[in-house]
Amino acid sequence: GNLINTTSGYINIKEAIDVVPVPILKVVSGELIDTTSTNTYKDGKAGAGETIYIKPTIKNYWGPTDSVFVAIEWKEFEDTSKAKLIDSVVFLGSVDAYAKLANNDKLLKLKIDENVANNVDIGFKLKVWSGLDKNYLSEIDYVINVKNAIQFYGVYDEDITLYPNKEYLVSDNIVLVNDAVLTINPGVTLKFSNNKKI
């Protein structure tokens, strides 16, 4: 690490011996977790109205540190009404040189607005730094794609209208009785489970 970070065209052994290693922290991934008890669809994707968690994985490319923080922030010009940041900064702890750090108990948390349109991308930045003074700060762009899906199945005896910008999941058969009419507006997405039909 000392050789890599003191070399610029040639190797200076004395400088590599004398240098004091500092952390070089990078976010290498951010796993989306949607398995909270309040979520209807625990499918590893963000859904409208869901509370979700982000588990960042950090890699340190040089000196060890015992004070790693991660954060999620809005990307510039993003519509902040699409979600609410709940736990936007988390202390992860220490990381050795050239090691990775992730913690299942220390996660970033946010809640997606229930009125977000289907298939919308929401832009954030994942940041990492060392210490309270935010030393060695780095960041990556992070995009969450949100589905606004509605389970659609059962017996209907009244007229039904399906609206655009929504995704309807036909998880079981749909039966229309008593002259009920199903109106499917342009822009509606219907997804059928195997062998299910209207």
Side-chain angles (χ1 to χ4, degrees):
N2 288 15
L3 284 170
I4 291 169
N5 290 288
T6 58
T7 297
S8 57
Y10 61 93
I11 295 173
N12 185 327
I13 299 296
K14 183 178 185 321
E15 187 177 355
I17 292 170
D18 292 342
V19 72
V20 176
V22 296
I24 299 177
L25 304 171
K26 304 286 183 188
V27 180
V28 292
S29 67
E31 180 187 353
L32 189 148
I33 300 169
D34 74 333
T35 53
T36 62
S37 59
T38 58
N39 292 344
T40 306
Y41 310 112
K42 299 172 185 178
D43 55 4
K45 299 175 183 174
E50 287 189 337
T51 298
I52 60 172
Y53 295 88
I54 308 295
K55 181 173 85 172
T57 298
I58 307 306
K59 185 165 182 184
N60 183 12
Y61 289 89
W62 199 13
T65 176
D66 60 1
S67 185
V68 177
F69 290 84
V70 290
I72 187 167
E73 295 180 3
W74 291 101
K75 193 170 181 181
E76 190 176 13
F77 307 120
E78 182 60 85
D79 178 1
T80 59
S81 69
K82 294 177 183 174
K84 178 182 178 184
L85 302 179
I86 300 170
D87 293 330
S88 60
V89 179
V90 175
F91 174 71
L92 288 185
S94 62
V95 62
D96 290 331
Y98 289 92
K100 287 186 177 178
L101 174 63
N103 191 321
N104 289 324
D105 298 321
K106 297 180 179 180
L107 307 173
L108 301 166
K109 181 179 179 183
L110 59 138
K111 182 175 175 61
I112 306 296
D113 187 81
E114 60 186 23
N115 296 314
V116 171
N118 183 49
N119 205 29
V120 165
D121 288 336
I122 307 177
F124 298 95
K125 288 192 176 290
L126 289 182
K127 296 187 172 187
V128 60
W129 65 85
S130 176
L132 297 176
D133 295 330
K134 295 190 176 181
N135 296 317
Y136 320 115
L137 175 71
S138 72
E139 64 185 41
I140 62 167
D141 289 341
Y142 187 75
V143 176
I144 296 175
N145 180 265
V146 178
K147 300 294 184 187
N148 194 341
I150 297 168
Q151 286 240 5
F152 186 36
Y153 62 93
V155 177
Y156 295 88
D157 59 4
E158 295 180 352
D159 293 350
I160 310 164
T161 301
L162 305 185
Y163 295 96
N165 297 324
K166 298 284 185 184
E167 187 172 279
Y168 296 86
L169 305 177
V170 181
S171 56
D172 205 345
N173 291 325
I174 296 169
V175 179
L176 302 169
V177 297
N178 298 334
D179 296 322
V181 175
L182 172 62
T183 303
I184 303 173
N185 285 312
V188 167
T189 299
L190 279 167
K191 291 189 175 177
F192 289 80
S193 296
N194 289 338
N195 302 316
K196 304 303 178 185
K197 57 189 176 181
I198 299 175

